[in-house]
Amino acid sequence: MEPESLGAEQGASLPGPVEELGTLLGQDAALPKLSGGELDRELESKSDLIDDKEFDIPQVDTPPTLESILNETDDEEESFVLEDPSLLNIDNIDTHSYDTSSLASSDSGDRMHSKRKKKLPDSFSLHGSVVRLSLLKGISAQIVSAADKVDAGLPTAIAASSLIAVGTSHGLALIFDPNQALRLCLGSTAVGAQYGAISALSINNDCSRLLCGFAKGQITMWDLASGKLLRSITDAHPPGTAILHIKFTDDPTLAICNDSGGSVFELSFKRVMGVRTCESRCLFSGSKGEVCCIEPLHAKTELRDHPITQYSLLAMASLTKILVIGLKPSLKVWMTFPYGRMDPSSVPLLAWHFVAVPNSVNPMLAFCRGDVVHFLLVKRDDSGAIHVTKQKQLHLHYDLINFTWINSRTVVLLDSVEKLHMIDRQTQEELETIEISEVQLVYNSSHFKSLATGGNVSQALALVGERACYQSISSCGGQIFYLGTKSVHVMMIRSWRERVDHLLKQDCLTEALALAWSFHEGKAKAVVGLSGDANKRKSVLADRMVEILFHYADRTLKKCPDQGKIQVMEQHFQDMVPVIVDYCLLLQRTDLLFSQMYDKLSENSVAKGVFLECLEPYILSDKLMGMTAQVMKDLLLHYQDKNLMEDMEACIVHMDITSLDIQQVVLLCWENHLYDAMIYVYNSGMNDFISPMEKLFKVIAPPLNAGKSLTDEKVVMGNKLLVYISCCLAGRAYPLGDIPEDLVPLVKNQVFEFLIRLHSAEASADEEVYPYVRTLLHFDTREFLNVLALTFEDFKNDKQAVEYQQRIVDILLKVMVENSDFTPSQVGCLFTFLARQLAKPNNTLFVNRTLFDQVLEFLCSPDDDSRHSERQQVLLELLQAGGIVQFEENRLIPMAEKAEFYQICEFMYEREHLYDKIIDCYLRDPVRKEEVFNYIHNILSIPGYSAEEKQSVWQKAMKHIEELLLLSPNKAADLIATHFNDQIEGIIKNLQDQFLLFQFLRSLLDPREGINQDMLQVSPCVTEQFIELLCHYNPDHVLETLQVLEFYRLEETIQITQKHLLHEASSYLLEKKGDVHGAFLVMLEQLRSKLLMLTCEIEESTELHLLKDIEDTLVKTIALCQRNSHSLNQQQREALWFPLLEAMMSPQKLSSSTVLCQYSEPLKSLTMQVLNNMAAFIALPSILQRILQDPVYGRGKLGEIQGLVLGMLDTFNYEQTLLETTTNLLNHDLHWSLCNLRASITRGLNPKQDYCCICLQQYKRRQEMADEIIVFSCGHLYHSLCLLSKECGIETKGQMRWTCYKCNSSNKGGKLSENFSELKKGNGASLVQTSSESLLDSQQIQAFDQLCQLYRGTSRLALLTELSRTHGGEKHGLLNVSQGDPALNSVFQNENFQLHLTPPPLTEE
């Protein structure tokens, strides 16, 4: 955060008699003193956050108590407070809003106030009340009095320095001193009648001169010491224009004025031979753009030597741009900044301030118009040139009418609805918002409209003037004065102390503490009143916070609900007490927390409990040091009462318990199973590391030695014991932290000596040796050995360490090898541990190799079948850990094979690169058989193996191929296809088992099994062999397999299927071969044989099944006929369909058969199915003729086929009706489309705009004579030359055809194709072309597009086009519809497709 300067001027209080007018106005004689503003000099370096030495706060010998502060009114006098409110009885306006009551009425007992408190806005709870807005009662009363008694008129302008000047509408200037006493009344109503109202005021640096600008253009200069008129200037600028602004520069002989003509003049005051003169020079003429705001750069006294002051910079804002000019040494424009289009009624605002940037202090210009504030930093380089750089902008959501710097960090904005917004410039955070509509701010609109001189101003300036209040707001010394119609208000930043007190008065204690802490940490915004270095500031704030905390504690106890549920009381304290604990610890005042605060809160038992629980998070994060013994004791008792044992244990291990009764704490922990806490108390309280181990061993050893299983509680104890031993041996404290360095060697030795004791302290006679090691090995061998391994890692290679290691290894061997009550897994763990230790490069251990041989014998003993996989796994781990060097390899492999430890064999063969032998290991291992395929595949395909190794594996796999196939035909086929492709036929020959061969060929050749067929190089005879096996083993799947198989010969395959009487498969193959008739005959024969079976008398159970069979065969036969009828001539079609019809009708002729009576209905429906399907391919007369020629039906038996014939006639009638309706609809559509097309083309065109859509020029401005205006029905208008330049005109037969550029380019298809008969994609309609000559021209096409958009449904023509496409290109001669890509245009592809069956819409004629 960059530190910045605070700007203000401090003027001297001027001596001199009070004018008699004061008595005339009834002014009170003894008005209180008004201190002139503070000196605003915050120009410190980047490192210091705030150094407000200028706010000289007097040191107080005895700081006031909190009670006295809370009871007093808002009257703390500090040098920057404008007045003494207690004496003046000022209404201090509550700064949240005028809607709330004044502070005087908002005491904490007020019920309304307590309601309001809950609705505080966020900025208030974060920053408190930052500003104080006060009414200057003395000045306000005298302004009203002057209007009544001397006809001064209403106030119009204000200027503030160490004096305050107020101008009135009748030409008077009232001058008030710091006591709010009226010092002078300058001018007279007679002059006011001549000059008009005072429209602008300016006081110079030393408060000796006042400039008044008038509504009729005159300017007067007054001596503020004597009240004399020094100059009356009437010719400084063009007559008939009001003075909008008049400003002194830092040079008292130079001023700037700005009039309602928008011009700016420099006024130079001189005194020659006792005669006062004024020379005027025009800096900016209103004819070049009206200036309505000017702001010279003022430097405070301590910055007068700043190099930039020699230029006398002046900023001017016109309605379109900003200028920064230098008046000295000669006139020069340093910057022009055009700011683009704005709301014409928004007010341009300018404000300078010096700010501290890294390594320097430079002026910054804030410019605003509307809702964006631009910050421009102005710097002077070594050559003397001035550079302006833009800083971060401030974007607002409201329009501004005033911008004021209150100090270099903080700005105050006034928006158009008269709300003040206080904003921190760097973070752009809004600190506070105040409604000031009650001030009744004075606006300068009449002067901007120059009403006094006849209103001769531009419209633009008059519009800006509607909201102009430049002369009603004046700032000085960190205070801003607001001029109302009957009052003057002052706004200033509250001091830090006042802000905190303000929150306290509103009973917002938590917010007050948070605010005070933000001051303490230097994170607060707009801080005033903190002086001295950082430590001094922090101590002042800490003292204040302690006072508030005491008050907070009292209030917490006082506000406690007396009756009601205990939960309510607990909730109250849980909300309040943590705040006290948090802030005491933040302030590092544990002395305060554990003495006075704790004593205070202990009065209430619930509060005490909550207090103790609040400490837990701080204890756990080790942030709480210096707890008293009493508090610790109370804490443990509280947790014990509440049965919060886990929380208690967590706290104990973070506490310094040396001051407590350790035996009592140990007992407490042991009784409540808090083992971590117990170990911690022994360790840190008594430096005893052995006792906790003894206590735990006593509990877990007996059941383990007896071979019983442990309870969950004891398992937890055992695990803690292991972790504790591990920590001790590693030099770490348990459960957290580190053992003091000087104790580490001692603790390690103690623990080691304890573990390897031969007998325990109170040993019974039958106790086995080394009880502690034995117990741990029984409890968890692997973890105990891991602990030892970690310890061995840490050992230094000194003599004692080596002895310890060897000693513990000997003990482990003695305990485990000489005992039979350890499992193979446990023994294996030990030897794996030893193998790892022995394999280390710097190993010093010695282990007898015969022990390893014994272990090998023990693990490989074939007579013991139990724990086979466990023993194998243990031996494998032992070998991998480096134990292989301890064994003789030529002895190890036979033993492993004998014990069926195939993973061991694999490990050994892998070392010797005998990969082919590993295949045997996999095949013989029942658990890992399936993995052999991956293993072979990896060896053969992964690089890194030699050619010889790969060859040996390949040969081994070939040798065991049948075994692999039996294991998994699918995986074996995959392997063979990848690596044994050229051996496939040989493998097939060698396979004796036919079913296995069938499984293998199915996996290999059926594409559905997943093998890529392109990789295979097999002859067709192999595929045919597979088909034959398939016919034998799985005849039901032959047809579907034939459909996916590729490499087979048709003739040979047909013979195979015929041999196995698979008629459907034969029919499929014959059809594929092209012999449609042959395929049909096969199916027909099937059908006839099944129908024949139906005529025989059969059992009822098979009848239904047979009927279903007949139906299936018939459906397949019909499908065959349908598939092929398209490619056959009429005679060939009849050769298919009529035999089928005959076959279906023949059983019905046997009317004598009693069996058939019950099937006549199903057979008739099947016959009808044949007739319906054949009607699509054979003419109806041919079918009828054929039926009538039948000898049976020809002889008067038509009754039986009456149903069939009538059914056919119904179908014919239906189709005829459908055709007529469709034709009718089409004609209707076409007629409607053409009517609308004609109406659209003959209607007049209405252009949407009066400029060309391509060049955007007015259509009247024709560049060349040949240029014509083209208007389209869509409403777009173009110059013909522009259209030609975009290639939107086509000349056909000497006539130009135009297309609309905009509509055409926005079409998805890009440019319109010259052949307009193409289907227009995306338009929802198709264009019909009946002959190739009739082209629609481009205008017609566009008109037709308009119609299509109007008629939003999918057209019926488009539907029929779709339907015609589905008939495989058959044209039925209705309409030759243009074909497009159905995938692109299909209306049925559209998810939202709906058929609109409404008549076409009527269009207006």
Side-chain angles (χ1 to χ4, degrees):
M1 204 164 104
E2 62 180 26
E4 298 164 1
S5 63
L6 295 132
E9 310 336 275
Q10 169 107 3
S13 159
L14 298 177
V18 177
E19 291 292 313
E20 288 175 12
L21 186 71
T23 321
L24 181 71
L25 294 177
Q27 167 206 333
D28 296 333
L31 272 166
K33 177 160 178 163
L34 177 101
S35 71
E38 59 183 282
L39 187 64
D40 182 14
R41 61 162 93 93
E42 196 191 328
L43 303 169
E44 72 281 11
S45 66
K46 276 280 264 196
S47 59
D48 262 2
L49 283 171
I50 303 167
D51 185 14
D52 301 5
K53 290 183 183 167
E54 65 274 15
F55 310 128
D56 299 317
I57 302 175
Q59 292 296 319
V60 182
D61 296 334
T62 52
T65 65
L66 193 70
E67 285 73 14
S68 68
I69 290 171
L70 288 173
N71 292 329
E72 70 190 5
T73 50
D74 202 353
D75 60 358
E76 191 175 338
E77 172 150 355
E78 293 184 25
S79 62
F80 72 99
V81 178
L82 189 66
E83 55 215 321
D84 186 340
S86 64
L87 296 173
L88 250 179
N89 188 23
I90 282 178
D91 290 337
N92 278 325
I93 292 149
D94 187 339
T95 50
H96 306 307
S97 159
Y98 268 100
D99 305 337
T100 58
S101 61
S102 70
L103 279 184
S105 69
S106 61
D107 67 343
S108 55
D110 178 7
R111 274 185 309 163
M112 283 303 292
H113 164 73
S114 63
K115 282 183 192 170
R116 191 176 72 238
K117 185 187 81 172
K118 286 173 184 155
K119 295 183 181 174
L120 294 173
D122 290 345
S123 62
F124 176 75
S125 54
L126 194 62
H127 304 290
S129 173
V130 184
V131 295
R132 184 172 65 196
L133 188 66
S134 311
L135 171 68
L136 296 183
K137 282 197 167 178
I139 295 177
S140 302
Q142 290 172 86
I143 289 173
V144 175
S145 180
D148 291 344
K149 296 183 179 174
V150 296
D151 192 23
L154 292 171
T156 55
I158 189 167
S161 181
S162 47
L163 297 177
I164 294 178
V166 177
T168 71
S169 58
H170 291 172
L172 297 181
L174 308 175
I175 312 299
F176 299 94
D177 69 6
N179 302 330
Q180 297 193 54
L182 181 66
R183 278 274 303 275
L184 298 165
C185 176
L186 306 175
S188 66
T189 49
V191 175
Q194 183 187 345
Y195 288 179
I198 290 184
S199 56
L201 290 170
S202 178
I203 300 173
N204 69 352
N205 272 338
D206 61 2
C207 223
S208 61
R209 299 281 183 271
L210 172 73
L211 277 174
C212 304
F214 289 88
K216 293 186 180 174
Q218 295 83 352
I219 298 167
T220 57
M221 182 190 276
W222 299 86
D223 182 334
L224 287 176
S226 63
K228 287 180 184 172
L229 176 67
L230 302 180
R231 290 179 176 82
S232 189
I233 307 158
T234 55
D235 55 354
H237 67 106
T241 53
I243 298 292
L244 299 183
H245 301 277
I246 183 125
K247 308 262 183 181
F248 271 111
T249 64
D250 279 347
D251 178 353
T253 66
L254 207 60
I256 313 294
C257 81
N258 171 206
D259 64 19
S260 59
S263 300
V264 180
F265 294 87
E266 177 191 72
L267 308 178
S268 175
F269 307 117
K270 293 186 179 166
R271 192 169 176 178
V272 183
M273 310 267 304
V275 179
R276 299 178 196 273
T277 61
C278 172
E279 291 177 11
S280 166
R281 161 169 83 150
C282 182
L283 300 177
F284 190 91
S285 167
S287 59
K288 295 177 182 172
E290 291 147 311
V291 170
C292 52
C293 182
I294 59 169
E295 201 62 52
L297 173 62
H298 290 290
K300 294 174 287 299
T301 317
E302 65 273 19
L303 286 169
R304 290 282 156 78
D305 298 332
H306 195 287
I308 213 148
T309 54
Q310 67 197 51
Y311 295 100
S312 194
L313 293 182
L314 170 70
M316 304 186 286
S318 77
L319 298 178
T320 55
K321 62 181 176 229
I322 311 167
L323 295 171
V324 175
I325 64 172
L327 303 175
K328 296 177 180 178
S330 59
L331 196 62
K332 180 162 184 179
V333 177
W334 287 111
M335 185 205 77
T336 310
F337 175 57
Y339 55 79
R341 289 183 180 176
M342 294 277 176
D343 176 3
S345 65
S346 54
V347 186
L349 305 168
L350 293 168
W352 288 100
H353 207 286
F354 279 87
V355 297
V357 291
N359 309 324
S360 64
V361 174
N362 285 300
M364 184 177 277
L365 175 65
F367 160 71
C368 168
R369 187 172 184 193
D371 58 359
V372 181
V373 183
H374 303 266
F375 292 101
L376 307 170
L377 189 67
V378 181
K379 288 184 179 176
R380 173 185 179 273
D381 66 13
D382 297 338
S383 66
I386 284 177
H387 299 284
V388 180
T389 51
K390 285 186 188 177
Q391 306 293 302
K392 187 179 176 184
Q393 293 177 344
L394 173 60
H395 292 269
L396 308 164
H397 54 274
Y398 40 82
D399 275 358
L400 294 188
I401 56 172
N402 179 261
F403 179 103
T404 313
W405 294 89
I406 199 159
N407 59 40
S408 63
R409 283 208 180 94
T410 319
V411 295
V412 177
L413 315 177
L414 178 62
D415 68 18
S416 52
V417 294
E418 296 196 359
K419 264 190 184 166
L420 281 177
H421 303 266
M422 187 174 202
I423 289 181
D424 182 75
R425 181 179 68 80
Q426 283 149 318
T427 61
Q428 301 197 350
E429 186 180 350
E430 191 165 285
L431 307 181
E432 192 164 5
T433 307
I434 310 172
E435 177 83 49
I436 64 156
S437 52
E438 283 192 11
V439 170
Q440 295 179 332
L441 198 65
V442 171
Y443 285 87
N444 317 135
S445 314
S446 62
H447 311 317
F448 272 77
K449 295 176 183 175
S450 202
L451 298 180
T453 58
N456 52 341
V457 297
S458 72
Q459 231 177 334
L461 196 65
L463 191 57
V464 168
E466 289 289 347
R467 295 195 288 185
C469 55
Y470 296 107
Q471 303 305 324
S472 320
I473 300 171
S474 178
S475 70
C476 168
Q479 301 159 41
I480 307 174
F481 297 87
Y482 295 94
L483 180 64
T485 51
K486 293 180 179 175
S487 61
V488 175
H489 285 75
V490 64
M491 192 198 83
M492 66 198 76
I493 301 183
R494 294 176 187 268
S495 73
W496 71 269
R497 198 177 285 275
E498 201 181 340
R499 279 166 69 178
V500 172
D501 291 352
H502 183 78
L503 284 169
L504 292 175
K505 282 177 190 168
Q506 305 231 1
D507 214 21
C508 302
L509 271 75
T510 319
E511 288 85 350
L513 283 165
L515 182 64
W517 180 249
S518 71
F519 289 134
H520 186 278
E521 293 300 286
K523 290 178 181 170
K525 307 281 189 304
V527 184
V528 172
L530 271 179
S531 58
D533 61 10
N535 292 334
K536 184 181 167 191
R537 292 200 293 251
K538 284 191 172 184
S539 74
V540 169
L541 279 154
D543 293 346
R544 186 78 185 94
M545 285 180 75
V546 169
E547 286 173 28
I548 299 171
L549 282 168
F550 275 121
H551 176 63
Y552 187 85
D554 292 339
R555 182 166 165 272
T556 300
L557 291 168
K558 203 186 326 177
K559 289 270 178 104
C560 171
D562 294 333
Q563 58 259 34
K565 293 183 181 172
I566 190 79
Q567 287 92 331
V568 177
M569 196 186 275
E570 274 186 357
Q571 188 57 51
H572 166 74
F573 286 119
Q574 278 163 4
D575 291 343
M576 308 290 273
V577 174
V579 176
I580 299 172
V581 178
D582 289 350
Y583 281 110
C584 283
L585 292 174
L586 281 172
L587 292 167
Q588 296 175 344
R589 292 292 304 272
T590 46
D591 55 328
L592 181 73
L593 181 66
F594 295 130
S595 54
Q596 289 136 295
M597 286 296 173
Y598 183 56
D599 296 345
K600 218 181 253 286
L601 292 171
S602 296
E603 294 165 18
N604 183 308
S605 60
V606 179
K608 181 178 176 181
V610 172
F611 177 89
L612 292 168
E613 284 171 31
C614 285
L615 301 178
E616 184 184 339
Y618 291 101
I619 295 170
L620 297 186
S621 56
D622 294 321
K623 288 180 184 167
L624 193 55
M625 300 300 165
M627 264 171 83
T628 61
Q630 183 60 43
V631 175
M632 274 195 266
K633 194 173 174 186
D634 290 352
L635 181 68
L636 297 183
L637 287 170
H638 173 73
Y639 277 135
Q640 199 175 0
D641 291 345
K642 284 246 183 156
N643 201 25
L644 298 169
M645 289 307 163
E646 286 183 15
D647 296 343
M648 176 161 127
E649 181 171 42
C651 289
I652 289 176
V653 299
H654 286 273
M655 283 163 32
D656 177 10
I657 41 82
T658 45
S659 54
L660 294 182
D661 180 344
I662 288 174
Q663 289 306 327
Q664 192 182 349
V665 177
V666 167
L667 192 62
L668 179 75
C669 294
W670 185 255
E671 283 171 358
N672 293 292
H673 313 297
L674 308 180
Y675 305 116
D676 286 359
M678 181 201 74
I679 293 171
Y680 172 79
V681 172
Y682 269 119
N683 291 175
S684 63
M686 298 187 280
N687 276 349
D688 180 354
F689 290 85
I690 301 304
S691 297
M693 285 198 288
E694 285 180 329
K695 281 179 95 76
L696 291 171
F697 269 119
K698 273 181 192 169
V699 178
I700 65 167
L704 279 172
N705 294 337
K708 295 176 187 171
S709 59
L710 295 180
T711 61
D712 289 349
E713 174 70 26
K714 287 177 182 171
V715 170
V716 169
M717 291 168 78
N719 285 329
K720 285 187 187 298
L721 183 57
L722 272 177
V723 176
Y724 173 57
I725 292 169
S726 172
C727 286
C728 289
L729 294 178
R732 290 193 309 275
Y734 181 87
L736 42 99
D738 290 301
I739 298 172
E741 275 191 35
D742 53 331
L743 287 177
V744 171
L746 179 69
V747 171
K748 280 188 181 179
N749 285 350
Q750 278 183 2
V751 172
F752 250 124
E753 291 293 347
F754 172 77
L755 285 177
I756 59 180
R757 279 183 195 172
L758 194 61
H759 284 290
S760 56
E762 300 160 12
S764 59
D766 59 345
E767 184 187 68
E768 296 189 50
V769 289
Y770 305 115
Y772 300 130
V773 171
R774 185 181 305 278
T775 302
L776 288 171
L777 286 169
H778 273 301
F779 176 70
D780 191 332
T781 315
R782 189 181 297 271
E783 282 309 316
F784 177 50
L785 292 173
N786 282 344
V787 168
L788 292 177
L790 287 170
T791 312
F792 286 3
E793 292 287 329
D794 290 345
F795 267 162
K796 311 275 185 302
N797 264 340
D798 58 10
K799 193 175 175 190
Q800 188 190 14
V802 171
E803 282 175 15
Y804 265 132
Q805 280 181 330
Q806 186 64 52
R807 194 162 158 208
I808 203 149
V809 165
D810 292 344
I811 290 169
L812 289 171
L813 287 167
K814 185 172 179 58
V815 169
M816 285 193 89
V817 176
E818 292 178 11
N819 271 66
S820 57
D821 54 351
F822 287 98
T823 64
S825 180
Q826 289 173 317
V827 175
C829 281
L830 171 63
F831 279 91
T832 304
F833 161 73
L834 292 177
R836 285 201 178 106
Q837 298 304 321
L838 294 171
K840 283 183 188 169
N842 54 355
N843 172 49
T844 54
L845 290 177
F846 168 75
V847 178
N848 193 339
R849 277 190 71 157
T850 56
L851 285 173
F852 277 94
D853 288 341
Q854 284 176 17
V855 168
L856 183 63
E857 290 280 354
F858 171 62
L859 292 175
C860 292
S861 60
D863 55 331
D864 178 13
D865 277 344
S866 63
R867 301 175 183 254
H868 180 274
S869 60
E870 182 191 322
R871 287 185 289 123
Q872 177 172 233
Q873 196 56 41
V874 164
L875 186 52
L876 189 62
E877 278 182 27
L878 175 54
L879 294 176
Q880 287 167 341
I884 192 153
V885 296
Q886 311 295 334
F887 300 115
E888 293 173 24
E889 292 183 25
N890 54 3
R891 183 158 172 263
L892 181 60
I893 294 175
M895 287 187 76
E897 284 179 347
K898 194 173 171 187
E900 297 181 359
F901 288 174
Y902 296 115
Q903 282 175 275
I904 307 295
C905 298
E906 182 189 343
F907 177 78
M908 301 302 295
Y909 291 142
E910 185 90 42
R911 284 169 54 85
E912 295 169 23
H913 303 292
L914 299 173
Y915 300 111
D916 52 332
K917 291 195 175 181
I918 293 175
I919 295 175
D920 286 329
C921 295
Y922 273 107
L923 289 172
R924 283 153 65 190
D925 189 342
V927 181
R928 301 188 310 143
K929 269 186 177 182
E930 292 277 327
E931 293 172 31
V932 70
F933 298 104
N934 281 339
Y935 180 75
I936 296 170
H937 174 71
N938 289 343
I939 297 279
L940 294 179
S941 55
I942 294 173
Y945 299 100
S946 68
E948 293 81 17
E949 288 164 355
K950 289 190 177 186
Q951 184 61 28
S952 68
V953 168
W954 190 89
Q955 285 169 348
K956 188 78 166 181
M958 274 300 290
K959 186 175 164 190
H960 289 285
I961 208 84
E962 192 160 352
E963 205 174 333
L964 291 171
L965 279 165
L966 278 166
L967 192 57
S968 168
N970 205 334
K971 288 184 180 176
D974 198 7
L975 189 68
I976 290 167
T978 312
H979 300 291
F980 302 90
N981 205 339
D982 47 351
Q983 301 294 317
I984 289 173
E985 291 186 22
I987 292 168
I988 291 168
K989 278 180 195 162
N990 293 334
L991 277 177
Q992 301 302 317
D993 184 340
Q994 290 298 298
F995 184 67
L996 183 60
L997 177 61
F998 162 61
Q999 286 181 304
F1000 165 53
L1001 287 176
R1002 181 171 62 188
S1003 300
L1004 190 69
L1005 299 175
D1006 194 333
R1008 291 169 299 185
E1009 297 289 336
I1011 293 176
N1012 184 357
Q1013 298 297 304
D1014 299 338
M1015 286 167 42
L1016 297 174
Q1017 299 165 353
V1018 290
S1019 64
C1021 61
V1022 173
T1023 313
E1024 286 148 22
Q1025 189 177 357
F1026 164 53
I1027 292 168
E1028 182 141 17
L1029 287 165
L1030 187 66
C1031 292
H1032 184 265
Y1033 289 109
N1034 202 347
D1036 291 347
H1037 288 83
V1038 172
L1039 181 59
E1040 61 187 63
T1041 309
L1042 284 172
Q1043 287 166 346
V1044 294
L1045 283 179
E1046 293 174 16
F1047 308 110
Y1048 58 86
R1049 294 168 297 186
L1050 287 170
E1051 288 295 343
E1052 285 77 354
T1053 314
I1054 290 168
Q1055 286 172 15
I1056 293 167
T1057 53
Q1058 284 175 342
K1059 184 173 102 183
H1060 289 86
L1061 303 176
L1062 296 170
H1063 303 293
E1064 278 183 41
S1066 305
S1067 170
Y1068 166 76
L1069 292 168
L1070 285 166
E1071 185 184 355
K1072 191 173 179 181
K1073 181 183 163 188
D1075 182 1
V1076 178
H1077 200 69
F1080 171 71
L1081 289 175
V1082 171
M1083 293 303 288
L1084 190 64
E1085 190 55 43
Q1086 271 286 93
L1087 187 63
R1088 280 179 178 152
S1089 65
K1090 286 177 183 175
L1091 285 166
L1092 192 63
M1093 284 169 71
L1094 195 65
T1095 57
C1096 306
E1097 297 204 2
I1098 48 175
E1099 295 174 21
E1100 281 188 31
S1101 58
T1102 55
E1103 287 167 8
L1104 287 172
H1105 179 67
L1106 189 58
L1107 265 176
K1108 182 86 182 75
D1109 237 9
I1110 291 169
E1111 190 177 350
D1112 284 351
T1113 311
L1114 179 64
V1115 167
K1116 285 172 185 168
T1117 316
I1118 289 172
L1120 171 71
C1121 295
Q1122 281 180 321
R1123 275 199 303 275
N1124 295 288
S1125 288
H1126 291 296
S1127 54
L1128 301 177
N1129 61 30
Q1130 192 66 26
Q1131 190 181 354
Q1132 289 167 323
R1133 288 179 187 180
E1134 288 180 4
L1136 290 183
W1137 289 101
F1138 283 135
L1140 180 60
L1141 182 62
E1142 178 62 35
M1144 284 309 298
M1145 289 172 70
S1146 59
Q1148 297 175 55
K1149 296 173 189 173
L1150 306 169
S1151 53
S1152 61
S1153 171
T1154 53
V1155 182
L1156 280 173
C1157 296
Q1158 55 191 344
Y1159 302 130
S1160 60
E1161 282 308 314
L1163 284 173
K1164 275 183 183 176
S1165 72
L1166 290 176
T1167 313
M1168 198 65 217
Q1169 206 175 334
V1170 176
L1171 284 168
N1172 282 339
N1173 280 298
M1174 68 191 285
F1177 301 100
I1178 295 175
L1180 199 60
S1182 306
I1183 299 172
L1184 285 171
Q1185 187 183 356
R1186 187 63 176 261
I1187 291 171
L1188 293 173
Q1189 281 174 355
D1190 186 280
V1192 178
Y1193 301 121
R1195 288 199 220 94
K1197 291 198 177 181
L1198 279 172
E1200 292 182 9
I1201 59 157
Q1202 181 186 358
L1204 297 178
V1205 175
L1206 288 175
M1208 288 164 65
L1209 289 172
D1210 277 351
T1211 307
F1212 174 76
N1213 285 334
Y1214 168 72
E1215 289 184 348
Q1216 186 181 14
T1217 311
L1218 188 65
L1219 188 62
E1220 284 170 1
T1221 310
T1222 308
T1223 313
N1224 198 6
L1225 283 171
L1226 264 176
N1227 292 340
H1228 197 129
D1229 261 14
L1230 195 58
H1231 176 258
W1232 171 81
S1233 299
L1234 289 172
C1235 277
N1236 281 294
L1237 194 56
R1238 180 177 165 278
S1240 299
I1241 289 172
T1242 55
R1243 191 180 292 136
L1245 300 180
N1246 175 26
K1248 287 180 183 172
Q1249 67 279 316
D1250 60 352
Y1251 53 85
C1252 167
C1253 292
I1254 294 173
C1255 67
L1256 304 177
Q1257 295 286 323
Q1258 282 281 335
Y1259 73 88
K1260 298 170 192 163
R1261 299 184 187 167
R1262 298 209 331 219
Q1263 306 296 317
E1264 298 174 35
M1265 290 306 291
D1267 207 355
E1268 296 175 336
I1269 308 302
I1270 311 289
V1271 183
F1272 288 93
S1273 56
C1274 53
H1276 294 124
L1277 177 147
Y1278 303 93
H1279 297 124
S1280 58
L1281 291 178
C1282 296
L1283 276 179
L1284 279 173
S1285 70
K1286 297 290 184 185
E1287 299 178 8
C1288 287
I1290 305 164
E1291 192 166 348
T1292 52
K1293 301 179 185 173
Q1295 192 177 2
M1296 284 304 290
R1297 304 257 182 207
W1298 302 102
T1299 51
C1300 174
Y1301 169 68
K1302 263 201 165 178
C1303 300
N1304 194 14
S1305 59
S1306 64
N1307 252 345
K1308 290 175 190 167
K1311 289 194 175 179
L1312 273 176
S1313 165
E1314 286 180 37
N1315 178 9
F1316 291 114
S1317 65
E1318 287 187 5
L1319 279 177
K1320 297 275 289 174
K1321 292 171 193 171
N1323 287 340
S1326 309
L1327 293 176
V1328 183
Q1329 178 198 349
T1330 48
S1331 75
S1332 57
E1333 287 82 35
S1334 63
L1335 281 175
L1336 293 174
D1337 67 25
S1338 50
Q1339 283 97 326
Q1340 289 169 321
I1341 286 214
Q1342 283 192 332
F1344 192 65
D1345 287 350
Q1346 294 283 315
L1347 281 176
C1348 294
Q1349 283 159 12
L1350 171 76
Y1351 180 41
R1352 290 167 194 267
T1354 306
S1355 85
R1356 290 179 279 231
L1357 183 56
L1359 285 180
L1360 289 167
T1361 310
E1362 286 298 339
L1363 292 168
S1364 73
R1365 279 195 193 127
T1366 58
H1367 289 310
E1370 265 215 4
K1371 311 275 189 298
H1372 294 301
L1374 254 178
L1375 272 171
N1376 179 11
V1377 182
S1378 55
Q1379 298 289 317
D1381 180 0
L1384 292 174
N1385 297 351
S1386 173
V1387 291
F1388 303 116
Q1389 301 277 338
N1390 181 358
E1391 289 175 13
N1392 303 321
F1393 167 68
Q1394 287 179 323
L1395 191 58
H1396 296 282
L1397 297 175
T1398 51
L1402 295 171
T1403 56
E1404 298 166 15
E1405 286 303 321

